[in-house]
Amino acid sequence: EAGVAQSPRYKIIEKRQSVAFWCNPISGHATLYWYQQILGQGPKLLIQFQNNGVVDDSQLPKDRFSAERLKGVDSTLKIQPAKLEDSAVYLCASSLEASGRGETQYFGPGTRLLVL
Amino acid sequence: GNSVTQMEGPVTLSEEAFLTINCTYTATGYPSLFWYVQYPGEGLQLLLKATKADDKGSNKGFEATYRKETTSFHLEKGSVQVSDSAVYFCALSDFGTGRRALTFGSGTRLQVQP
């Protein structure tokens, strides 16, 4: 079974530029998450989708970050304009819907963003 | 809100030594608990999990027991190998809220020397 795919793997941009990340979850997984992992810290949730609906975006900086999941499959995360503090690894994860307590989230390899 | 606290690293051990990485949590509901591992150059992957009090999760020689009374989920291994060198993350999800997103600790880097 193919895992969670993400692209690009690395991105370097200047501050105030825009950038977009793409995620393709495991086939059949209804729930998709975007996490931000700053160097030396654990991942922090940005947004959670259930199919193509948003379940939780309370920690998404909505003035600069946006995300969508069209047709309930692929997802894109966009930053516009980027700030220096956005330098981080952006992780996408997916899980089956309603599989009970302790359902496993499967993570992609991440996109490492450096904002100069 | 929910939070996870784990011991700071790096933890440096010799091969075949005993490993303990401490993890404590704060949760508003009745969480499920996880250990994820990140090997060099690889993505996060689930190591083990436990969904209710006194459950023991185990995998690849690692174990952790869900202790509700002490709100802890310490990771242990009896004899570490060089290949266990990685960053270990303790995490929880609060299924009762319906959100199920993971709350992670800050990670503990383990270095095992031959």
Side-chain angles (χ1 to χ4, degrees):
Chain A
E1 157 180 280
V4 177
Q6 290 187 247
S7 67
R9 293 295 307 276
Y10 305 92
K11 192 74 176 178
I12 301 175
I13 61 172
E14 301 279 334
K15 61 183 179 184
R16 292 188 289 273
Q17 286 186 325
S18 62
V19 64
F21 312 128
W22 173 81
C23 173
N24 185 18
I26 293 173
S27 177
H29 280 196
T31 308
L32 185 147
Y33 309 82
W34 283 101
Y35 292 88
Q36 180 192 56
Q37 185 177 15
I38 293 172
L39 187 64
Q41 299 181 18
K44 289 183 171 57
L45 178 73
L46 290 174
I47 189 167
Q48 176 186 346
F49 291 94
Q50 184 77 15
N51 296 307
N52 59 351
V54 176
V55 174
D56 185 356
D57 64 355
S58 58
Q59 298 180 77
L60 187 74
K62 298 180 185 65
D63 58 333
R64 298 182 302 105
F65 286 66
S66 64
E68 61 182 7
R69 190 182 183 197
L70 299 176
K71 301 180 181 178
V73 183
D74 293 7
S75 177
T76 56
L77 176 70
K78 297 179 181 177
I79 308 175
Q80 181 178 12
K83 292 185 175 181
L84 297 178
E85 58 261 37
D86 298 331
S87 295
V89 177
Y90 291 85
L91 298 169
C92 180
S94 69
S95 65
L96 285 169
E97 177 183 8
S99 61
R101 293 178 58 81
E103 66 181 26
T104 299
Q105 291 184 27
Y106 297 86
F107 284 80
T111 296
R112 187 176 298 274
L113 173 67
L114 178 61
V115 182
L116 301 176
Chain B
N2 297 337
S3 66
V4 175
T5 302
Q6 55 182 114
M7 61 189 290
E8 292 189 14
V11 174
T12 303
L13 296 174
S14 299
E15 207 164 22
E16 299 183 3
F18 184 85
L19 169 71
T20 300
I21 300 178
N22 291 336
C23 171
T24 57
Y25 67 89
T26 301
T28 53
Y30 194 159
S32 296
L33 302 175
F34 304 80
W35 278 99
Y36 275 80
V37 60
Q38 192 167 36
Y39 296 104
E42 298 184 20
L44 276 169
Q45 55 187 275
L46 179 68
L47 180 60
L48 53 83
K49 65 183 179 184
T51 60
K52 61 183 187 295
D54 300 324
D55 265 3
K56 178 185 284 188
S58 62
N59 186 25
K60 299 182 181 181
F62 291 89
E63 293 182 339
T65 301
Y66 190 140
R67 300 289 188 199
K68 195 169 189 291
E69 64 277 13
T70 56
T71 62
S72 64
F73 193 53
H74 304 320
L75 182 68
E76 297 183 336
K77 187 175 185 182
S79 176
V80 293
Q81 306 300 312
V82 172
S83 57
D84 294 326
S85 298
V87 181
Y88 293 81
F89 292 91
C90 186
L92 67 84
S93 71
D94 195 350
F95 182 78
T97 65
R99 286 176 158 73
R100 300 198 294 277
L102 291 166
T103 299
F104 284 89
S106 57
T108 302
R109 181 176 299 277
L110 170 65
Q111 299 172 330
V112 181
Q113 299 175 336

